[in-house]
Amino acid sequence: MFSGGSSRARPDADSLADLFEQYYDRIARYIASRTGDRDLAEDMAGDVFVRAVESFSSYQERGLPIQAWLFRIAHNLVIDHYRRSSRRQTVAIDDAMELAGDADPTAEVELRLSMERVGEMLVRLNPAQQEVISLRFMGGLSAEEAGAVMGRTAGAIRELQRTALKALRALLGPEITHPGSAAQEATGL
Amino acid sequence: MTTQRPFIEILDECIDRVLIGRESIDSCIADYPEHAVELRQELSAATAVQQPFAFQPDSSRKRDARLRFQEALDRRHARRSWWRLPMPRAVAVAGPRFVAIAVVAGLALLGSGTGTVLASQGSLPGDLLYPVKTTSESVRLAFAVTASREARLHAEFLDRRVDELEQVTIKGRERFVPRLVRQIERHGAKVHELTVEPVKDVLDELPAAVFEPDASADGRTTVTAAPPEVEGRTVSVRRALALSEQLKRVQSRIAELESKAAADAAKDAERQNLKRLAEFVDRTNQELEALLEKADAIHRPKPEVEAREQRERDRVARERDRGEGGDASVRPILREIEAEVLDVSVHNLGDSARVDVRVRVADGSERVVHITRGGTKLLKAGHQGKLQDLKLHSIVVLVVQRSTGEVVALHVT
């Protein structure tokens, strides 16, 4: 019923049901990249769809592409979360693994470590660059769709994406030349 | 393929193709060789940034989210359905202004839209809110993504229709009995199809032991033994057991209604309908009982096995009472169970650490295996694989002490 493109079709509320299967995973990944917390992101992704049903009349008035509207709800929930929550205390996974006496972490632990490292790089971008990277890379939106979420043109999104990638490359270092390199594995990414 | 397009557009296209479309970097670069170096650097960086977030969300959390979403849709649908309810004939005849007043008065009585769905739950055929109730049931069925969930819903709605059948006969609305009987048969047939058929299909394959996961009092994972090939079978049997209990209750209620109808010579048609319904429920239950008896005969361990295991349990209990560590020469009976790794997390406990491995075992239930520092050594000493080889969705083998159900080791296969 809804393609991934920037359709301006006006769905009814029941067609929201199709969107859950289509967008839940992507919205969870987007929120994880904004919050750095995968468990929280998956819970908040569910809140996005409940909020979408409850505020469906406001969607119909605005005429946004439906996926852009969903991600905008997700963005607003992330902002609300930042306002409400205090700084989390995190456990240094390196310390925990050393105490466990096992010098070889699980793939999942490595994944979480990588998520933290990438998160630390993302926060060094400006807010608009962070948003573009999260919407495009994690949310899987096109430049046009991301533009609809952020209220910018597709051209502006591409420019933000370009400058964000340039900054990220500097942070990742010259070792990241191609996926699967030994140097890349050493950095955990 | 060469192009004069700006690099920024080419980069955007390749990001779409590689990060979203899952093409390889080389595939995109092949189309733009003049930008190969810069494209590779940009796309490598993009991939490195995306990769840690390319996870599959937890299935149980997603299921909960879907349920909350479904409930929100139910509430919205019920609010909108209110406006389309058939009005009583007198109100419709009275004209639009009266209808509008009646609707507003009705809303005021019932409160918010959310309250409308709740208020409809006690309604009967012929009541104003009854369509809200049945519409809500249809929406819930539409969202039942598994056969198990669908079967449970049909069983719930079957119960509801039997309740309504009782009530309409009390209230003198016998004209609704044939419709309710048809709906009961339909729900019963669906439950039969979704519950009994899977049991029939697999009974011949069931091995001797039944897998019954259970959490121990101290919260540690315990599983009791079963060969790993039982996948899903015992779920079917348990579902069939629950259905059998429900059908017995439905049978006795229908029998009560039949005896009440028998006392009234004017209710012959109703009696015939109830008789037909009773025969249907009886047939279904008989078939189910036969299957469960067969399952019992397969499941029940041989007496000598039961006796041996009871002796082992008694021995462990005696040693525990005496404070002894147990006879090292007597090895506990161990079983191996396959489980799928769903999640691995590390917890800093101050001067030690714990690794929690969440797994899904044969019957679909999930358990967490706690590996403490000593447990980690178990993994390293003489077992196949190491903790680092654990990946999401890989299969591990849990080694379980049969008498206590405790996981004593975890193999990475």
Side-chain angles (χ1 to χ4, degrees):
Chain A
M1 187 177 302
F2 294 102
S3 68
S6 353
S7 163
R8 287 187 178 262
R10 297 290 184 96
D12 58 22
D14 288 343
S15 52
L16 284 173
D18 298 327
L19 296 175
F20 183 93
E21 302 308 328
Q22 206 175 340
Y23 288 103
Y24 175 87
D25 291 4
R26 290 160 63 176
I27 286 178
R29 292 172 195 138
Y30 161 78
I31 297 175
S33 70
R34 298 310 314 278
T35 61
D37 187 331
R38 173 181 160 173
D39 295 343
L40 173 70
E42 292 176 13
D43 289 337
M44 285 175 69
D47 294 342
V48 168
F49 287 90
V50 173
R51 184 79 66 93
V53 173
E54 290 169 353
S55 60
F56 192 67
S57 53
S58 74
Y59 163 74
Q60 290 171 311
E61 289 159 15
R62 289 185 192 180
L64 275 177
I66 190 79
Q67 56 274 37
W69 179 64
L70 284 174
F71 275 89
R72 192 176 282 187
I73 293 174
H75 168 85
N76 291 339
L77 282 181
V78 168
I79 300 299
D80 289 346
H81 165 73
Y82 283 137
R83 285 187 188 133
R84 279 195 310 269
S85 65
S86 57
R87 196 165 188 68
R88 287 176 184 273
Q89 192 142 21
T90 57
V91 173
I93 293 178
D94 290 318
D95 291 344
M97 291 316 301
E98 190 177 341
L99 288 167
D102 189 339
D104 301 306
T106 66
E108 175 61 14
V109 170
E110 285 176 340
L111 184 70
R112 288 171 193 249
L113 189 60
S114 298
M115 205 183 275
E116 281 191 13
R117 286 182 181 160
V118 170
E120 285 164 11
M121 292 177 200
L122 286 175
V123 296
R124 292 168 74 169
L125 305 176
N126 69 45
Q129 288 172 331
Q130 288 179 45
E131 185 72 359
V132 165
I133 295 297
S134 291
L135 288 173
R136 288 281 284 128
F137 294 11
M138 289 61 157
L141 294 186
S142 66
E144 288 76 16
E145 290 162 349
V149 177
M150 295 177 65
R152 299 184 188 229
T153 63
I157 295 298
R158 291 185 188 111
E159 187 56 43
L160 277 169
Q161 178 175 262
R162 176 89 193 265
T163 57
L165 264 178
K166 188 176 168 188
L168 286 169
R169 276 174 52 196
L171 291 167
L172 284 164
E175 298 90 3
I176 305 300
T177 53
H178 56 83
S181 70
Q184 185 180 20
E185 286 177 10
T187 61
L189 291 173
Chain B
M1 178 171 82
T2 58
T3 177
Q4 297 302 316
R5 286 167 68 199
F7 176 76
I8 199 172
E9 286 184 15
I10 295 171
L11 173 62
D12 192 59
E13 176 198 323
C14 284
I15 285 173
D16 279 341
R17 287 167 62 178
V18 172
L19 268 63
I20 301 171
R22 301 292 172 206
E23 275 188 49
S24 68
I25 292 177
D26 288 333
S27 162
C28 210
I29 287 173
D31 290 340
Y32 303 103
E34 69 279 19
H35 298 295
V37 171
E38 195 176 3
L39 269 180
R40 186 175 295 284
Q41 290 170 349
E42 303 275 17
L43 294 173
S44 297
T47 306
V49 166
Q50 185 205 45
Q51 195 263 340
F53 296 97
F55 56 83
Q56 285 301 316
D58 175 72
S59 57
S60 57
R61 255 193 219 104
K62 188 170 178 177
R63 193 169 51 240
D64 288 344
R66 191 183 289 114
L67 204 60
R68 286 191 287 133
F69 175 54
Q70 174 185 322
E71 286 166 358
L73 275 179
D74 278 351
R75 288 192 296 270
R76 182 187 167 85
H77 206 283
R79 282 197 298 273
R80 292 173 66 83
S81 295
W82 166 254
W83 299 101
R84 294 196 291 271
L85 286 176
M87 290 294 140
R89 193 178 303 168
V91 173
V93 161
R97 184 181 296 179
F98 188 77
V99 168
I101 291 168
V103 164
V104 168
L107 277 176
L109 280 172
L110 289 168
S112 68
T114 307
T116 306
V117 173
L118 290 174
S120 75
Q121 299 308 298
S123 61
L124 297 173
D127 290 345
L128 206 56
L129 286 180
Y130 190 71
V132 174
K133 182 179 182 182
T134 54
T135 300
S136 157
E137 290 175 5
S138 301
V139 172
R140 289 174 68 192
L141 273 173
F143 270 82
V145 294
T146 64
S148 169
R149 172 93 179 125
E150 191 183 347
R152 275 199 296 275
L153 284 174
H154 278 292
E156 179 189 331
F157 301 154
L158 187 152
D159 258 345
R160 285 188 181 186
R161 297 293 92 80
V162 173
D163 280 338
E164 290 162 10
L165 187 63
E166 264 182 303
Q167 292 299 312
V168 298
T169 53
I170 291 170
K171 289 179 188 290
R173 299 185 192 176
E174 287 85 358
R175 66 188 186 282
F176 293 109
V177 167
R179 186 169 85 184
L180 284 171
V181 164
R182 281 196 301 277
Q183 286 170 354
I184 290 170
E185 283 175 337
R186 197 166 64 238
H187 286 306
K190 282 303 286 186
V191 182
H192 183 278
E193 175 197 324
L194 295 166
T195 302
V196 171
E197 293 304 319
V199 176
K200 263 191 194 169
D201 288 343
V202 306
L203 265 184
D204 291 334
E205 303 168 34
L206 276 174
V210 173
F211 180 73
E212 290 288 342
D214 199 14
S216 70
D218 66 357
R220 284 190 58 180
T221 301
T222 63
V223 290
T224 53
E229 62 270 20
V230 181
E231 282 187 37
R233 313 301 191 240
T234 55
V235 175
S236 303
V237 173
R238 281 200 289 272
R239 217 186 302 151
L241 274 167
L243 172 62
S244 171
E245 294 301 313
Q246 182 186 18
L247 284 178
K248 280 175 188 154
R249 288 193 301 270
V250 168
Q251 264 180 319
S252 68
R253 289 167 71 191
I254 290 172
E256 279 172 33
L257 288 171
E258 268 189 303
S259 67
K260 282 180 194 167
D264 187 341
K267 291 192 176 181
D268 187 60
E270 183 186 326
R271 216 171 24 251
Q272 293 303 321
N273 278 310
L274 287 171
K275 184 172 176 221
R276 195 178 96 216
L277 184 59
E279 284 165 2
F280 166 76
V281 173
D282 193 47
R283 272 199 311 277
T284 305
N285 207 26
Q286 279 182 10
E287 192 175 347
L288 196 51
E289 284 294 316
L291 286 174
L292 288 172
E293 278 178 23
K294 192 173 173 187
D296 278 345
I298 295 172
H299 285 193
R300 197 172 297 117
K302 295 191 175 66
E304 57 269 26
V305 172
E306 267 187 330
R308 185 172 70 235
E309 289 175 4
Q310 184 59 48
R311 283 197 298 274
E312 174 65 16
R313 280 194 289 272
D314 292 343
R315 182 193 69 77
V316 169
R318 280 196 304 273
E319 283 163 3
R320 195 180 298 123
D321 290 343
R322 287 201 300 263
E324 292 171 17
D327 184 349
S329 66
V330 177
R331 295 178 59 195
I333 299 170
L334 300 178
R335 290 273 192 163
E336 293 187 350
I337 300 162
E338 280 192 352
E340 180 191 355
V341 175
L342 300 176
D343 192 38
V344 179
S345 56
V346 178
H347 301 271
N348 188 347
L349 305 176
D351 60 351
S352 66
R354 190 184 77 226
V355 176
D356 290 348
V357 182
R358 191 161 58 86
V359 298
R360 181 184 292 123
V361 291
D363 77 339
S365 64
E366 294 177 9
R367 293 292 180 268
V368 178
V369 183
H370 305 296
I371 304 173
T372 59
R373 190 170 188 167
T376 308
K377 285 184 183 171
L378 276 175
L379 278 174
K380 290 167 71 177
H383 289 277
Q384 304 142 28
K386 297 179 184 175
L387 195 58
Q388 72 184 45
D389 294 329
L390 270 179
K391 290 179 173 32
L392 295 185
H393 309 301
S394 64
I395 299 296
V396 295
V397 173
L398 308 179
V399 181
V400 175
Q401 186 169 321
R402 179 66 190 262
S403 56
T404 63
E406 288 192 9
V407 177
V408 299
L410 184 152
H411 292 239
V412 180
T413 59

